[in-house]
């Protein structure tokens, strides 16, 4: 094991343990365990996210201000959501308004679910003076290509009879005319940056419908309908903008919201964890640290492909600081997690007395992991 510096503070920067603990609670529990063993150490809590669910919570934990906003949920029913604001930067998390968790009763609506609420969140951020909007994509319930999002920002979508289209991906098959409306005025001078870790195009076998549609309840004929709608949508956007970004990496993100962000909001895309670490001030937090602790619900093969712990490990290692991982489950071999830059890895399943405790007693076990980590890696010298 590489030597751990004997001086400096500890940065605790985990992602959420999905289904059990939010990132802030993971950080608090790990920090509590470390402090119990080494009370003299300075421990800084900096929960992170990769642009998906938990992005808003990470921004709030880093000092952004929570602004409540009531918006349309994925099926049009109102939901209580929020944005995070600091100076002229706003953080908008798609899952707050249009995520699977916002579906009434958990019932999917693959053909009718829409991203309208995302546009309402962006509009609220702009009305508060945000000059930069960071849009986190992930957990989407809709496959509407971001059409709902831009409708909320002033774009008109009409059928052949001049009637505005209803929400949802299925209705896009009837799209006849796209009117940019007030979109340019609404976003004048506003930079939109998308936090996104997928490279799927909008259409085809790797597109939004084929890959992610089934996760949102689409099957059989639904998939055909949604693909046809997105194809018509992409053609209409190309005709009005003179640009075709349907094949751009990330266009298929969040049911095609990535496509609309690129094509109509003029957005740029950044790897989610890279953007969030920058936003949360990770470089400053890690300066002079002796150890960084990160983690997520399951450390597995997906972790190695741009998820939050791998991003934290890369950033910490680049700053010359060792990094350890704590996860609910550990499905990587020691060679794999060491190869990803971790000096140690702990799993709640290994600390649990009974099967299932890693889920039902995750908070308590995270503290135990912090204690063990402190005893083994941060021993007084």
């Amino acid at each position: 094991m590489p030597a751990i510096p004997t001086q400096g503070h500890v940065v605790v920067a985990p992602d959420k343990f999905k289904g059990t603990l939010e990132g802030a609670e993971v950080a608090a529990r790990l920090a509590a365990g470390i402090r119990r063993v080494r009370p003299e150490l300075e421990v800084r809590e900096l929960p992170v996210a990769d642009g998906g669910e938990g992005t808003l919570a990470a921004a709030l934990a880093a000092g952004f201000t929570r602004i409540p906003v009531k918006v349309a949920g994925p099926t049009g029913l109102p939901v209580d959501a929020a944005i995070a604001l600091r100076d002229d930067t706003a953080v908008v998390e798609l899952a707050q308004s249009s995520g699977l968790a916002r579906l009434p009763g958990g019932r999917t609506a693959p053909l009718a679910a829409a991203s309208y609420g995302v546009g309402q969140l962006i509009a609220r951020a702009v009305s508060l003076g945000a000059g930069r909007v960071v849009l986190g994509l992930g957990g989407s319930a809709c496959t509407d290509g971001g059409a709902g999002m831009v409708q909320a920002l002033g774009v008109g979508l009409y059928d052949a009879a001049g009637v505005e289209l209803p929400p949802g991906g299925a209705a896009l098959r009837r799209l006849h005319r796209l009117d940019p409306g007030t979109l340019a005025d609404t976003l004048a001078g506003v930079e939109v940056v998308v936090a996104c870790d997928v490279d799927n195009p909008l259409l085809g076998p790797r597109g939004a419908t084929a890959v992610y549609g089934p996760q949102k309840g689409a099957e059989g004929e639904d998939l055909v309908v949604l693909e046809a709608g997105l194809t018509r949508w992409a053609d209409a956007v190309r005709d009005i903008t003179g640009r075709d970004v349907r094949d751009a990496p990330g266009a298929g993100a969040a049911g095609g919201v990535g496509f609309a962000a690129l094509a109509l909001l003029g957005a740029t895309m950044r790897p989610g964890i890279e953007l969030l670490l920058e936003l949360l001030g990770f470089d400053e937090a890690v300066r002079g640290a002796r150890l960084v602790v990160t983690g997520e619900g399951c450390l597995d093969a997906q972790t190695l492909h741009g998820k939050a712990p791998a991003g934290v490990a890369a950033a910490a290692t680049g700053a010359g600081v060792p990094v350890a991982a704590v996860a609910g489950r550990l499905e990587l071999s020691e060679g794999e997690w060491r190869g990803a830059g971790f000096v140690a890895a702990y799993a709640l399943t290994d600390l649990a007395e009974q099967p299932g405790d890693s889920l039902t007693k995750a908070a308590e076990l995270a503290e135990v992991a912090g204690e063990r980590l402190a005893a083994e890696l941060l021993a007084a010298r």
Side-chain angles (χ1 to χ4, degrees):
M1 179 184 298
I4 307 295
T6 58
Q7 302 296 319
H9 60 280
V10 176
V11 177
V12 181
D15 198 352
K16 64 184 178 300
F17 283 21
K18 191 170 184 178
T20 54
L21 301 173
E22 293 299 321
E25 188 172 6
V26 179
R29 293 290 187 155
L30 289 172
I34 294 170
R35 292 185 182 111
R36 190 170 294 120
V37 174
R38 294 298 310 277
E40 79 283 4
L41 283 183
E42 178 189 357
V43 183
R44 301 182 188 177
E45 299 168 31
L46 189 73
V48 301
D50 59 10
E53 294 167 272
T55 296
L56 182 79
L60 296 176
F64 280 67
T65 299
R66 184 180 189 275
I67 309 294
V69 190
K70 189 177 286 290
V71 298
T75 62
L77 295 176
V79 297
D80 291 316
I83 59 175
L85 188 67
R86 185 172 67 189
D87 301 326
D88 72 338
T89 297
V91 175
V92 172
E93 180 186 307
L94 176 143
Q96 279 280 307
S97 62
S98 306
L100 286 164
R102 294 298 200 175
L103 288 164
R107 293 185 297 275
T108 57
L111 300 181
S115 57
Y116 195 90
V118 184
Q120 291 178 302
L121 292 175
I122 294 172
R124 179 59 175 149
V126 172
S127 75
L128 291 170
R132 184 175 191 238
V133 174
V134 175
L135 177 58
L137 302 183
S140 166
C142 55
T143 309
D144 73 343
M149 174 180 71
V150 299
Q151 282 179 299
L153 292 168
V155 173
L157 306 180
Y158 303 97
D159 65 16
V163 177
E164 188 151 17
L165 294 183
L172 292 173
R173 293 175 301 164
R174 308 199 310 272
L175 178 60
H176 180 73
R177 182 169 66 87
L178 189 162
D179 180 359
T182 60
L183 179 65
D185 291 336
T186 300
L187 294 183
V190 176
E191 176 192 12
V192 179
V193 186
V194 174
C196 178
D197 289 313
V198 303
D199 61 1
N200 304 76
L202 180 65
L203 304 170
R206 294 187 60 250
T209 299
V211 175
Y212 302 110
Q215 300 172 12
K216 302 166 189 181
E219 56 184 23
E221 185 62 24
D222 291 348
L223 298 172
V224 176
V225 168
L226 291 171
E227 185 76 354
L230 291 182
T231 301
R232 175 65 198 122
W233 173 231
D235 290 345
V237 171
R238 176 201 59 205
D239 293 345
I240 200 75
T241 64
R243 297 172 56 241
D244 196 344
V245 300
R246 72 185 74 194
D247 293 327
V257 171
F259 167 79
L262 289 169
L264 295 169
L265 306 189
T268 55
M269 284 199 175
R270 296 268 306 277
I273 185 59
E274 175 188 294
L275 177 58
L276 265 294
L277 290 180
E278 177 186 297
L279 194 69
L280 302 177
F282 182 81
D283 286 351
E284 181 179 347
V286 80
R287 192 172 298 122
R290 64 188 295 185
L291 180 70
V292 170
V293 183
T294 187
E296 64 180 341
C298 183
L299 216 63
D300 57 16
Q302 291 186 41
T303 304
L304 307 180
H305 297 284
K307 294 188 73 179
V312 170
T317 302
V321 180
V323 58
V326 176
R329 301 193 317 278
L330 181 58
E331 296 185 358
L332 297 177
S333 68
E334 181 172 344
E336 288 173 324
W337 57 254
R338 287 196 183 279
F342 299 108
V343 299
Y346 300 84
L348 302 192
T349 51
D350 294 335
L351 304 175
E353 294 182 0
Q354 300 292 333
D357 281 359
S358 61
L359 296 176
T360 60
K361 298 182 179 179
E364 295 91 331
L365 290 173
E367 286 198 30
V368 174
E371 293 174 357
R372 181 167 297 189
L373 180 154
E376 294 178 356
L377 303 182
L378 299 168
R381 300 179 188 179

